[in-house]
């Protein structure tokens, strides 16, 4: 068996922790690959809340979901840093994914940033269920990427061990700065 790359492993981790019927979040919808995966994972009784700042991403994803006849998804054209405005106050969250950086094939200047990514993470963590998982797929090869990663690592490494398991999954001998995973699991 070949070791999985970060993208594949992010789905493996979510498959192992999210349950059918859960409420989940795709914080960076893009072309909707993760949104579609989450939609199928939680099934018709589940709910996917998705965010992107680019209208083209929301449109492409809505079309992808319609073609797949998936209708348990709510797509929001806004930054994920506004997550608390859209997440019902007492809503528990089974899982969340952030696929950071820029959307391949689109404007490379539209990237995620440490401050807004952290605001979103801080908005979601209090809602995570016990054993719920927040997965960050981290790209850091583009301008601004390393700065975002540094902020995320500083934050994640300081999370209290009694409350969260924090995992880093990374190939450390590969060229071209392949993406890696930071995954945060709620323990209590
Ligand atoms: C690497 S792409 C996501 C790819 C996507 N998961 C897919 O399956 O195609 C990153 C996305 O984050 C979006 N983005 C950037 N800043 C954002 C923010 N503050 N809130 C939500 N999305 C953001 C970009 O517009 C871009 O579509």
């Amino acid at each position: 068996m070949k070791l999985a790359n970060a993208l594949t492993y992010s789905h493996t981790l979510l498959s192992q922790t999210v349950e059918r019927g859960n409420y989940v979040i795709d914080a960076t919808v893009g072309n909707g690959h993760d949104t579609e995966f989450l939609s199928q994972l939680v099934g018709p009784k589940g709910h996917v809340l998705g965010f992107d700042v680019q209208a083209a991403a929301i449109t492409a994803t809505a079309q992808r979901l319609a073609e797949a006849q998936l209708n348990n998804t709510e797509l929001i054209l806004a930054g994920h840093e506004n997550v608390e405005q859209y997440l019902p106050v007492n809503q528990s969250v089974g899982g969340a994914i952030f696929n950071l950086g820029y959307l391949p094939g689109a404007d490379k200047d539209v990237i995620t940033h440490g401050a807004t990514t952290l605001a979103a993470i801080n908005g979601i963590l209090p809602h995570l269920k016990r054993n719920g998982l927040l997965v960050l797929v981290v790209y850091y090869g583009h301008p601004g990427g390393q700065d975002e990663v540094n902020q995320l690592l500083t934050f994640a490494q300081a999370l209290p061990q009694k409350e969260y398991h924090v995992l880093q999954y990374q190939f450390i001998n590969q060229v071209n700065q392949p993406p890696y995973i930071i995954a945060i699991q709620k323990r209590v």
Side-chain angles (χ1 to χ4, degrees), residues 38-62:
L38 286 174
S39 173
Q40 281 168 342
L41 188 63
V42 298
K45 294 193 175 147
H47 188 82
V48 186
L49 180 64
F51 292 90
D52 207 292
V53 289
Q54 298 190 71
I58 298 292
T59 305
T61 299

Side-chain angles (χ1 to χ4, degrees), residues 20-48:
R20 280 184 88 68
N22 276 183
Y23 189 109
V24 293
I25 298 173
D26 184 354
T28 52
V29 158
N31 286 326
H33 298 97
D34 295 324
T35 322
E36 182 176 2
F37 161 73
L38 286 174
S39 173
Q40 281 168 342
L41 188 63
V42 298
K45 294 193 175 147
H47 188 82
V48 186

Side-chain angles (χ1 to χ4, degrees), residues 8-98:
T8 303
Y9 197 54
S10 68
H11 287 193
T12 302
L13 287 171
L14 286 164
S15 303
Q16 290 171 345
T17 46
V18 168
E19 292 167 7
R20 280 184 88 68
N22 276 183
Y23 189 109
V24 293
I25 298 173
D26 184 354
T28 52
V29 158
N31 286 326
H33 298 97
D34 295 324
T35 322
E36 182 176 2
F37 161 73
L38 286 174
S39 173
Q40 281 168 342
L41 188 63
V42 298
K45 294 193 175 147
H47 188 82
V48 186
L49 180 64
F51 292 90
D52 207 292
V53 289
Q54 298 190 71
I58 298 292
T59 305
T61 299
Q63 193 176 336
R64 172 186 288 274
L65 296 168
E67 280 165 15
Q69 298 185 317
L70 295 165
N71 49 21
N72 57 354
T73 297
E74 183 186 350
L75 298 176
I76 311 286
L77 177 59
H80 42 226
E81 59 275 20
N82 302 299
V83 63
E84 282 168 294
Q85 283 177 34
Y86 296 93
L87 201 49
V89 178
N90 293 317
Q91 180 63 57
S92 67
V93 171
I97 188 160
F98 290 69

Side-chain angles (χ1 to χ4, degrees), residues 114-129:
T116 38
T117 302
L118 281 174
I121 295 171
N122 277 317
I124 295 169
L125 285 185
H127 291 263
L128 265 193
K129 292 165 60 144

